Amino acid sequence: MRTALVSGGASGIGRACADRLSAEGVRVVTADLAPGCDVRLDVTDPEAVTAAAGRIGPVDILVNSAGIIGPNKPLWEVSDEEWAATFAVNVTGTFHLCRAFARGMAETGWGRIVNLASIAGKEGNPGLAAYSASKAAVIGLTKALGKELATSGVLVNAVAPAVIETPMNAATAPEVLDRLVSLIPMRRLGRAEEVAELVAWLASERCSFSTGAVYDISGGRATY
Ligand SMILES: NC(=O)c1ccc[n+]([C@@H]2O[C@H](COP(=O)([O-])OP(=O)(O)OC[C@H]3O[C@@H](n4cnc5c(N)ncnc54)[C@H](O)[C@@H]3O)[C@@H](O)[C@H]2O)c1
């Protein structure tokens, strides 16, 4: 039986991924700051990640879904703290978990890492400079690690969703959501289960000739 670690697994896309992988017979461990997960973990804390990795042991699948939207305001109003906090979770947290688990996967000769990027990292969303830049960094990390591990049996890919109906968007103003939906040719929000379906494929043997790639899931919004 394969084991998966899903960060951010208490909510939204991470929870949907955990449910989808469990339904396939994968043993899933969810790690999150929020209650309702298997392991309480702050992915920004390198020592906590190392300690958790020791307790969890090697995993076959890592889904990095822990993330925050960060400041939603004009760039010149973004504080150093807001910028750093966004990168700490979205980029450094993803780095911490990849560092803690990728070597074990390479040693066994099989592994799948799926990182949650965003269409914001490819196109940039106005008012979300820190978030957009952090997701572009996740894409760069994914491409580099994918190439680094390309002959190891460990595949590293990212998904880039457009706006998905999850708690992350609960506080988003209706007019902002309307604008984001207007950019989507299918004219609707995505669902966490739809993203989980793609993640489950990327986390499986059925995905075998892709690494360092970015998979759009955007109702037609992505144009490259
Ligand atoms: N919802 C969208 O529209 C959308 C679109 C594109 C990409 N994404 C990305 O998908 C991922 C999941 O988003 P979601 O919509 O499910 O959000 P969500 O807010 O529902 O879930 C995110 C989870 O991450 C956890 N988390 C935050 N900081 C953490 C930390 N320091 N350590 C551990 N866990 C932490 C939260 O507690 C939460 O449970 C994120 O990386 C997000 O950027 C979301």
Side-chain angles (χ1 to χ4, degrees):
M1 183 189 265
R2 296 226 146 102
T3 300
L5 177 65
V6 181
S7 81
S11 176
I13 294 169
R15 181 189 282 177
C17 290
D19 291 347
R20 180 68 182 72
L21 290 169
S22 295
E24 274 192 6
V26 175
R27 186 178 81 87
V28 177
V29 180
T30 54
D32 204 302
L33 269 182
C37 57
D38 301 313
V39 176
R40 289 295 275 272
L41 177 66
D42 180 352
V43 298
T44 69
D45 179 343
E47 281 156 21
V49 170
T50 304
R55 289 197 305 277
I56 295 165
V59 302
D60 309 292
I61 297 163
L62 169 63
V63 179
N64 280 302
S65 191
I68 58 171
I69 194 84
N72 184 357
K73 52 173 82 163
L75 180 135
W76 54 79
E77 290 178 11
V78 173
S79 69
D80 289 340
E81 291 73 22
E82 289 170 326
W83 181 272
T86 310
F87 270 69
V89 182
N90 297 356
V91 187
T92 311
T94 299
F95 159 64
H96 286 155
L97 287 175
C98 288
R99 183 173 62 180
F101 291 98
R103 185 188 294 187
M105 292 180 187
E107 282 169 2
T108 64
W110 197 93
R112 298 287 184 269
I113 298 175
V114 187
N115 294 327
L116 267 296
S118 168
I119 195 156
K122 295 173 73 176
E123 293 191 0
N125 278 348
L128 289 174
Y131 183 74
S132 301
S134 75
K135 293 300 181 176
V138 169
I139 290 172
L141 184 161
T142 303
K143 289 182 183 228
L145 188 59
K147 290 183 173 70
E148 215 167 294
L149 298 178
T151 58
S152 70
V154 182
L155 308 184
V156 187
N157 291 293
V159 296
V163 64
I164 308 294
E165 197 170 6
T166 70
M168 181 174 271
N169 292 308
T172 307
E175 59 275 17
V176 175
L177 274 185
D178 286 349
R179 188 191 147 268
L180 290 174
V181 170
S182 77
L183 297 172
I184 297 176
M186 286 189 186
R187 292 286 185 268
R188 67 169 176 86
L189 300 171
R191 295 190 302 274
E193 296 71 28
E194 293 175 307
V195 180
E197 190 64 35
L198 175 58
V199 171
W201 177 75
L202 288 167
S204 75
E205 259 144 34
R206 306 188 298 280
C207 173
S208 55
F209 196 49
S210 286
T211 197
V214 184
Y215 285 77
D216 298 314
I217 179 150
S218 68
R221 174 174 164 185
T223 51
Y224 79 102

